[in-house]
Amino acid sequence: MSKRIWKVMVVLVGLALLIAACAPASTPTQAPTQPPAEPTQPPAQPTQPPAEPTQAPTGGIDCMGAKPGDELTMLYQWSGQEEARLNEILKPLVDACGIVIKPESTRDQALLDTKVQAGTPPDVAFWNVAQLVQYQDKLVPMDVLGAHRENYADFFVQPGTINGKWLGLPVKADIKTIIWYSPAVFKAKGYTVPTTWEELDALVEKMVANGDVPWSMGFESGDATGWTGSDFIQDILLVKRGPQYVLDIIDGKVPYNDAGVKEAYEIYGKWAKDPKYTVGGAQGTLSTGFLDAIYKVFSDPPEAMMVRQSGFAGGEIARKYPDLVYGEDYDFFMVPGAQGLQGGADWMMAFRDTPAVRALVAYLSSELGGANWAKAGFDLSPNKGATGNYTDPALLKKGEMLANTQGFTPDIGDTIPGGFGKAEWTGIIEFINGTKDLDTVLADIAKVQAEALGK
């Protein structure tokens, strides 16, 4: 090769390197930190055929045709630590597909109503079953969007199915059917965790015989006083009658003054009215705040041996008594004998069919999405992929309960409309206070139930 040709080649290579060095670097797409701009287009009806739900491979994410820069607006009620955990869950999707998420957080459902009525809803919203019913004519079905139906038990799909259309994907859940206690106190007193309802009943009687108060059942909560009593009664129904019975009450197939409901009230009343069984007897149940009722089990010395309360109680115990150790000083067990769980769930609904929406639905409903939700510790995930992937020991335990349950029922009072919840709480107060006999109490509540459901 001649020296002239060699010099020409050197110059060309140098020019190429200089051009490459001056080219602008690509900018990675990140989740936004500011509220989304108001969308200007009306909600689009699905124009694409139903997506084929192809399970994302392990460690992989199906972008469903979404391209870097595609925007995805969403509205939800979470903030603070909850919002941070959601961002952690969504980060793999953002990183893999380059989707730009534009979130907005509010506790005011009226904001969602305003957006929907104005024809400018978010692409997706995370809200309640009531909104699935309310907006059913404006929502895109989950199977059209490519949701992985196989990763959800039937009892988690059914509440999100409105008039035959699967409109809501359950993304987050909490369970209520649990009893909190102190393992250290149980060990010191020779008590063992019951595994059947009969064992629980025998344990309660043993505690009474030993001079210990079994329950702390205070339910004072301002205008909502009585809600912890309705939760306890619903758990008794799950033991004695099962989840379908509870769902039949919610649908109005079983009237609230049915014999099964009366039985549950009588069992609850025996414990909630007598000072041998609960702190302060009936007056203590009526006047003790629901948070104070939790604390009494873990005070030194304890005022009671057990409290039936939702999953949030663990956080309250840790805040009140920071020196207590979970698993040693406080723990929980499932209400023994319950044939299903009582709890709440948050649902994702989609107002538009776009590649970005499809990517989100496919990801959150995939096994990978369920696993990432569990690892982030954002309560429980109804997705089967979450099983075994929780890192928090309490969530791991509750996750196993959720994975193995044969049914999941929403709160009766929260689900039946028309002021039923308030009527139920009022009736429970009257029952515990003795101002009305039980048959009259149940008949009054059943009347409100029938009116609310048009029966």
Side-chain angles (χ1 to χ4, degrees):
M1 179 182 296
S2 68
K3 290 184 179 180
R4 174 187 290 269
I5 295 175
W6 175 253
K7 290 179 180 179
V8 170
M9 290 182 65
V10 169
V11 170
L12 290 174
V13 171
L15 286 172
L17 291 174
L18 180 62
I19 292 171
C22 295
S26 60
T27 303
T29 305
Q30 298 180 352
T33 57
Q34 57 187 12
E38 289 288 343
T40 57
Q41 296 297 321
Q45 295 301 312
T47 56
Q48 305 177 49
E52 290 294 330
T54 54
Q55 186 78 42
T58 302
I61 292 175
D62 189 344
C63 294
M64 304 293 283
K67 299 178 178 60
D70 284 357
E71 294 185 352
L72 178 65
T73 59
M74 60 174 62
L75 184 69
Y76 46 69
Q77 302 178 67
W78 307 310
S79 60
Q81 189 178 67
E82 291 181 324
E83 192 171 32
R85 286 176 175 168
L86 179 66
N87 287 335
E88 181 182 342
I89 294 164
L90 297 179
K91 187 177 186 301
L93 176 69
V94 171
D95 290 346
C97 305
I99 295 172
V100 177
I101 296 177
K102 291 195 165 186
E104 187 170 5
S105 173
T106 180
R107 297 285 181 182
D108 187 4
Q109 194 237 319
L111 177 61
L112 179 58
D113 281 337
T114 299
K115 289 178 178 289
V116 173
Q117 290 167 11
T120 57
D123 293 330
V124 297
F126 297 84
W127 224 269
N128 306 320
V129 169
Q131 281 64 57
L132 296 178
V133 176
Q134 182 178 355
Y135 307 134
Q136 58 182 290
D137 295 333
K138 301 179 183 296
L139 298 175
V140 185
M142 287 294 132
D143 44 1
V144 169
L145 296 170
H148 296 286
R149 167 68 179 78
E150 70 275 12
N151 289 333
Y152 299 87
D154 289 342
F155 52 76
F156 266 122
V157 173
Q158 187 274 330
T161 302
I162 313 299
N163 290 325
K165 294 182 179 180
W166 185 25
L167 300 179
L169 185 76
V171 294
K172 184 173 80 72
D174 185 29
I175 61 175
K176 297 182 176 184
T177 311
I178 52 181
I179 295 170
W180 293 86
Y181 75 109
S182 168
V185 172
F186 264 44
K187 182 178 180 180
K189 292 181 175 288
Y191 300 142
T192 57
V193 172
T195 58
T196 67
W197 183 260
E198 291 72 25
E199 288 180 2
L200 175 63
D201 193 47
L203 175 62
V204 167
E205 296 300 332
K206 181 179 179 180
M207 289 173 173
V208 170
N210 289 349
D212 292 323
V213 178
W215 296 107
S216 181
M217 301 175 77
F219 61 37
E220 197 283 323
S221 185
D223 291 340
T225 295
W227 69 266
T228 65
S230 67
D231 282 358
F232 206 139
I233 290 168
Q234 183 165 331
D235 281 345
I236 296 172
L237 289 173
L238 288 171
V239 172
K240 296 294 184 178
R241 301 286 170 155
Q244 188 57 53
Y245 185 86
V246 173
L247 294 175
D248 287 344
I249 293 174
I250 291 172
D251 291 340
K253 297 174 185 174
V254 171
Y256 200 83
N257 57 347
D258 185 74
V261 179
K262 183 176 181 179
E263 176 192 29
Y265 267 75
E266 289 172 337
I267 293 170
Y268 176 73
K270 174 186 175 181
W271 291 339
K273 292 181 176 184
D274 193 331
K276 291 187 304 183
Y277 291 99
T278 190
V279 178
Q283 190 55 43
T285 298
L286 290 165
S287 63
T288 302
F290 71 94
L291 287 178
D292 288 334
I294 298 171
Y295 303 149
K296 289 180 182 298
V297 177
F298 305 98
S299 60
D300 186 15
E303 296 182 53
M305 298 293 101
M306 299 180 291
V307 57
R308 195 234 64 97
Q309 189 50 273
S310 305
F312 77 86
E316 296 298 333
I317 296 165
R319 274 188 283 273
K320 179 70 173 180
Y321 303 111
D323 293 335
L324 297 187
V325 178
Y326 170 76
E328 298 177 12
D329 302 306
Y330 67 100
D331 204 342
F332 61 90
F333 56 89
M334 181 175 165
V335 173
Q339 302 171 54
L341 294 172
Q342 173 189 181
D346 291 288
W347 302 76
M348 183 174 73
M349 59 198 76
F351 290 92
R352 290 188 179 85
D353 181 359
T354 68
V357 170
R358 291 192 177 207
L360 177 66
V361 170
Y363 168 62
L364 288 182
S365 65
S366 70
E367 289 188 12
L368 177 62
N372 286 342
W373 195 288
K375 292 173 183 176
F378 194 9
D379 286 340
L380 302 174
S381 170
N383 186 324
K384 293 178 180 178
T387 304
N389 285 298
Y390 297 97
T391 56
D392 178 88
L395 285 177
L396 181 63
K397 188 174 181 178
K398 286 188 282 187
E400 290 174 354
M401 294 178 185
L402 188 64
N404 294 320
T405 188
Q406 298 303 304
F408 189 87
T409 62
D411 182 282
I412 294 173
D414 289 346
T415 309
I416 299 177
F420 174 85
K422 184 64 175 178
E424 185 185 33
W425 298 339
T426 299
I428 291 172
I429 293 171
E430 292 170 337
F431 169 59
I432 297 299
N433 210 22
T435 54
K436 285 186 180 179
D437 66 89
L438 181 54
D439 287 337
T440 301
V441 165
L442 297 182
D444 290 345
I445 301 174
K447 182 180 179 182
V448 177
Q449 175 200 25
E451 292 171 351
L453 298 174
K455 299 294 182 180

